[in-house]
Amino acid sequence: MLALLRVGRMPLPPSGCRPEYKKWITVKIRKAVALSAAIGVAIAGISLSVPANADPVSPGYSIVGSDTLQDAVNALVNGTSISGTFVRVTAGGNPVGSFDATGSAAIQLKPGGPYIGRPSGSGDGKKALSRALDGNNWAKNNITANVVGQVDLARSSSGASTTTGNGDINASGPLVFIPFGRDAVSYAFRFGAGKTLADAPGLDSLSAAQLLQIFNGVTTTIGTVTVVPKLPQASSGTRQFFLGAIGAGSTSNPAGVPDAATTTTVENDGGAFGTPAAGTVQIFPFSAASWIAQVNGATPINTTGVAALGSAGGTAPFTGTSPLVPNSAFYSSTTWGRDVYIIAPAAKILPGASFDQDLADLVDPTKTSSLTYFGASASPATSKAVKLRFGFLTPSTTATFRTNYFS
Amino acid sequence: MQHRSVSRRSTQSAVRGLGALGVVAAVLGGVAAGGLTVGADRAQAASGSEVVVTAAAQDADILTAPFPNLTVTVSQTTDLQAQGILVSWTGASRSTPPSSQSGGANYLQIAQCWGDDPDNPGQPDRRTCQYGAVAAPGASRDSVRSDPASVAAEDEQFTVPASGFASPTYTSIPFIARNGEVISSIDQVDGANVANNSNVNSNKFFTKLTTNEVSWAGSGDDGTGSAKFEIQTAAQAPGLGCGEPVTDTATGVVTGASCWLVIIPRGTADVGESTNIRSGLFWDAWKHNIAVKLDFRALGTRCALGASERQLAGSELVSAAIASWQPALCAASGGSIYSSITGAESDAAAAANGKATAPLALTSRALDNGTTDSLRYAPIALTGVALSFAIDRFPDAFGGAPQDALNRSQLPFSSMKLTPRLVAKLLTNSYLQSLPYSSDRTHLGYTSAQDPGHNAQNLTSDPDFLAINDPEWAYQAITSPAIADLLVPQGRSDAAWAVWTYVLSDADAVKFLSGTPDPWGMKVNPWSSITAAINPSGTALTLPRDNFPKADPVEVPANDQAGAVNLVTWRPYTADFDTAAYLTLRGDGQVLGSWDLLATPPKYTKTARDLPGFQKVMSVTDTASAARYAVVTAALRNPSGVFVTPTTQSLLAAAAVMTPNTKQSQVFGFDPTSTGAKGAADAYPLAMPVFAAASPTMTDAAVRASYAAFIRYASTTGQTPGTVLGQLPDGYAPMPTAWRALAESAAAAIASGSTGSTSRPPTSTSGSTNTSSGFGATDTSVPQPEATGDPAGALAGPVTKDDPDMGLVSSVVPLVGGGGIAALLAIPLIARIRRPL
């Protein structure tokens, strides 16, 4: 059973560990050993069946990066029956190791490989993959390592950058973005003691302009409730997308969320609410897919608790109650919806000296057994069926695009 | 690191200055003509060239057009130079702003192109457009295509067919420069299209920082909208070559090469996609374009190599006029090339006051450094300081605004009124948002978000402002540090002195600066107070002064998440007044972004400039720059109690009541405390004269003769308003006759070297005169940092036969800590050349 270790939450012990998860766990390193063997020490061949984190050292391929996609990708590569049928995605029979965005500071991706600082989020995923291809060192969490051959794929909840020469679109570029699914970003809110939605009419259906006023600190009260906005940290793709969507500017520091207390929350984690003070309501951006996946039990842990997901722009992000079903009207919005991607090296999936058929099939959207499939098949045996249960919808386009390295 | 943005800007202007020819000057017209002129005065404008075009008349495919009823008005289409124009329209639909993955919905894109389409005469060629540099969705030159069937026949030649999921169909529109050079990311190999590694969106001809394209211009509920557009000539956009001189072989008439202004409407989605994500140059979007021909003034003649060069140094306010006069001066037989160095006027005047050969000083105030003033002052221009702004409506979304205010959301405000007390608040970081959000702002009365105290967040939420302005301002909920203070240049200037003098002339403003709260309880930032007792530094702020200090030492300390933020990091200086107006045109408030931990070294990013419809920025600039960039300026309350914007009439009204300096009667200025000023209802209170000053005791007679020639030209022919080279650009008022007489007598004295008595000033009204009295300690109570090291020499081109000995200049003109000389460059023309902003 792969329980996801998230900051601020106790890991739940696995209940009824499914044998299919256990059978391919190759190497597990205890944390203390891992940290003391920070650089360059290979510990191979030790086999411990520990229940804890989703950091398998993979003799096959590795994928790092975004938090938003990690639950779905973890389930796909580890095997899941969430769609009704057991689905597991491999690369020509080779396992794929998907590494969470949060967890231990150091991870070892492949047997014999170095311990590296864990890439945490879309930005890190893009950069770590770029370093694995251009040969420069990857420095994170005070660990500097060469990661060539260690990182094979990246998960990303954001697309190309618009900075010339740094992750910008290049039709001959070394990275290929392949659409994985479509997510949407809304806002979650949780009341402190003594207040409910009746005390703050309209809070569950805020427009972009209203959200901008809240995050700018212009509006601090709705109804009789004090509003406390919060944001994930600066490199979070969800934060940048949300701030861009409400008009604050994706790299800005809005006036209503200035302090460390309100800006260092993890992404897509209801634990960020803590216990809101009495008489207040906290709100912060939340991926609709992640919300739906957690409430539906697709993820091992549901962090949503007593919080609620608002209807940004007035459109509900999901319909139904059990299971929650993503609302395509919300997801298709150009303001709130976003395609999410798997990033692969162009050299390995295009004809040429480095072409790797297994990797290409792993990310080929025309193959029902790939990570990125979202085609016409309604069979529960496809990755599409799994992704739907994780709250993703069909991406707005299946066209891939290429970019330069990210630095 | 805190000064990164400041120093980078200065360095870049220095680099560009070096790139500009030191001695030989291509005259690059930097003169605004028409469009939104200073205030409402269109006297100098080529106002007859406004053009109205419709989609119905131009779009052959109107049935599939996004806005069949689109009507576009372009404010000026002839006699164009590097300037701003206004593009406005009706008949569109309510827009959706862009996101990181979509270009938005129902918007217009505006670009400048140079060539005619050989297949469609009378229409622009999409391959010649400066477009795509933004490289955002919907605003690039190239993209992949989701559906190969959606590729129009006209795009086939620019398309690489798909070959597998990792190589989808790819279309890329090349750029062809005026000189024939082609930038293309597609090669023809064995008759097939193959992608190469070129970047068509960022290349030697345009980049994201230099392009003038408007990638998104939105419309309100009523389908109307407007956007400022920055016209670029061959100087800013060599790939377009607009304005390059073209000689008609038959008649010998020289005209400027013409260009196109192209408006591309975008609907809800591209053909074959679910949103606007592909290039506006692809045929299905391009075919709906509306185009207007732009006629340019011919970029002027070069000054001949080897002609004697003369230096002018000092005031930036007169730069635009010198840019216009310079080519006419050097073209005259025996004419010199007058190259201009911008810097502190007081330094230039000090350098000129002696026998040694020195640049002709350009100053607005008299020399006041304790030495005997031997200078003769000749008035050469009547100009002024303007407070410009670009603020778009953002009404309260929580029911605080009536429906008609909500309907006007995103439209720009076109006027505002400011009093001296409001200007004082903007200059002293007294508004809460002008200090870093997570800093300790208790000295402004701020405790927490729930208990912010009595200091307003920014100008637009200040009851002091709302009380005198249109009621619609009260419905807005705009937030930005860029409307909590003014973008100001670093360095010393007489213009800063004039602004502070204006502030101090008002009793309410003085009380505020002394520490008394305003009627709504707002208090001055104590670090900028003129009362020593409440100023935490122990000494009062000396006012008036010749710079705009950022006195508050507030700092957000560095932590493991981000670097430190002090006031200059938070609110950087601009390089000069021209830059401030340019930033206002582009809606760039210089707002700090987030910390980039993984950059090398880690640094703060800058928030991107705001799109039209979401702009909020205010700046201190000069009237000539404001006119050139067509930015809106604030109406200031003059000593007579009337709110006045800068126009030719209001500048002249102020000139009529200017009073002489008590110690130097040749120099006069607008004294807001004088009786004449208090009676002048039409006067613009920040009107400023600029004097050319040289000493008749200078030993080099040839140099003195050159200076006299300059003064004579500037004060006579150079005062004719107009857009032709050699005339007076928009933003200046032609000098009164009495001033011209003074200029002539000063020129005669300088030329002859006589040190006889000076003539009387043109006006002498009773009342206090333009002295240098102020508040606080009279001496430098705010310690100036010592300049260390050797002063840098002035940067100049190769030596010409009449060059003065530059060594003397470099030792006389000091580099004062704090950026005394903003840009020591020998740019003959102060022209904006491809600013990387």
Side-chain angles (χ1 to χ4, degrees), chain A residues 124 127 162 164 170-172 210 212-213 216 218-219 226 241 251 253 255 258 334 338-339 350 364-365 396-397 400, chain B residues 99-102 135 144 146 165 167-168 170 196-197 202 208 274-275 394 396-398 437-438 450 477 479 593-594 598:
Chain A
D124 279 6
K127 291 173 189 177
T162 55
T164 308
N170 177 350
S172 320
Q210 291 174 325
L212 181 62
Q213 275 180 240
N216 271 340
V218 174
T219 300
T226 303
F241 181 86
T251 57
N253 280 308
T334 54
R338 59 177 180 176
D339 287 351
L350 286 167
D364 184 344
S396 66
T397 174
T400 63
Chain B
S99 76
S100 55
Q101 295 189 0
S102 160
V144 297
S146 300
F165 76 94
S167 279
Y170 169 74
N196 67 38
N197 216 358
S202 180
K208 184 202 300 243
S274 59
T275 179
F394 182 73
D396 178 36
F398 281 97
Y437 296 149
S438 47
Q450 283 71 36
T479 303
S594 54
L598 291 165

Side-chain angles (χ1 to χ4, degrees), chain B residues 782-796:
Chain B
V782 178
Q784 296 290 330
E786 288 288 307
T788 58
D790 298 324
L795 303 167

Side-chain angles (χ1 to χ4, degrees), chain A residues 240-314:
Chain A
Q240 292 178 6
F241 181 86
F242 179 77
L243 288 180
I246 66 175
S250 57
T251 57
S252 70
N253 280 308
V257 195
D259 354 279
T262 49
T263 59
T264 53
T265 62
V266 216
E267 284 189 312
N268 302 323
D269 184 343
F273 287 123
T275 305
T280 70
V281 62
Q282 292 184 4
I283 80 173
F284 75 87
F286 212 105
S287 149
S290 179
W291 184 277
I292 290 166
Q294 292 186 43
V295 172
N296 282 350
T299 58
I301 300 174
N302 178 2
T303 67
T304 58
V306 298
L309 191 66
S311 302

Side-chain angles (χ1 to χ4, degrees), chain B residues 759-823:
Chain B
S759 36
R760 291 182 64 251
T763 61
S764 57
T765 60
S766 56
S768 56
T769 55
N770 184 21
T771 65
S772 50
S773 61
F775 292 84
T778 52
D779 213 347
T780 52
S781 51
V782 178
Q784 296 290 330
E786 288 288 307
T788 58
D790 298 324
L795 303 167
V799 175
T800 67
K801 59 178 166 58
D802 290 322
D803 264 355
D805 178 0
M806 291 308 294
L808 281 171
V809 173
S810 57
S811 60
V812 168
V813 177
L815 279 176
V816 178
I821 303 289

Side-chain angles (χ1 to χ4, degrees), chain B residues 262-435:
Chain B
V262 178
I263 295 105
I264 308 169
R266 308 293 292 271
T268 51
D270 292 321
V271 169
E273 309 288 348
S274 59
T275 179
N276 283 309
I277 200 174
R278 308 306 180 202
S279 173
L281 299 182
F282 292 173
W283 190 255
D284 288 315
W286 173 259
K287 65 186 180 187
H288 297 302
N289 80 79
I290 299 179
V292 172
K293 199 84 174 166
L294 298 175
D295 287 315
F296 282 74
R297 259 201 30 207
L299 294 177
T301 53
R302 293 163 176 266
C303 289
L305 267 167
S308 59
E309 182 192 338
R310 303 295 175 212
Q311 303 273 336
L312 312 168
S315 174
E316 187 199 339
L317 302 182
V318 74
S319 301
I322 294 175
S324 176
W325 297 331
Q326 215 265 18
L329 282 162
C330 75
S333 71
S336 308
I337 303 170
Y338 296 93
S339 59
S340 176
I341 303 173
T342 311
E345 293 93 327
S346 45
D347 292 345
N353 184 29
K355 296 195 168 64
T357 306
L360 181 63
L362 305 167
T363 178
S364 299
R365 289 167 53 221
L367 182 65
D368 189 15
N369 63 355
T371 61
T372 307
D373 186 358
S374 68
L375 293 168
R376 286 305 303 264
Y377 295 82
I380 57 165
L382 172 57
T383 176
V385 176
L387 302 191
S388 67
F389 65 93
I391 302 181
D392 295 324
R393 291 169 167 82
F394 182 73
D396 178 36
F398 281 97
Q403 189 57 45
D404 62 327
L406 290 170
N407 291 344
R408 279 202 290 279
S409 166
Q410 293 175 30
L411 296 179
F413 279 104
S414 55
S415 66
M416 78 157 62
K417 294 179 182 155
L418 294 175
T419 61
R421 182 169 61 200
L422 289 169
V423 176
K425 291 176 178 178
L426 289 166
L427 290 175
T428 54
N429 297 106
S430 300
Y431 288 115
L432 292 176
Q433 287 171 358
S434 71
L435 298 184

Side-chain angles (χ1 to χ4, degrees), chain B residues 498 502 636-639 642 644 650 654 670 672 683-687:
Chain B
Y502 166 71
L636 302 179
R637 193 177 67 201
N638 67 16
V642 181
V644 179
S650 62
F670 184 83
Y684 180 66
L686 287 180

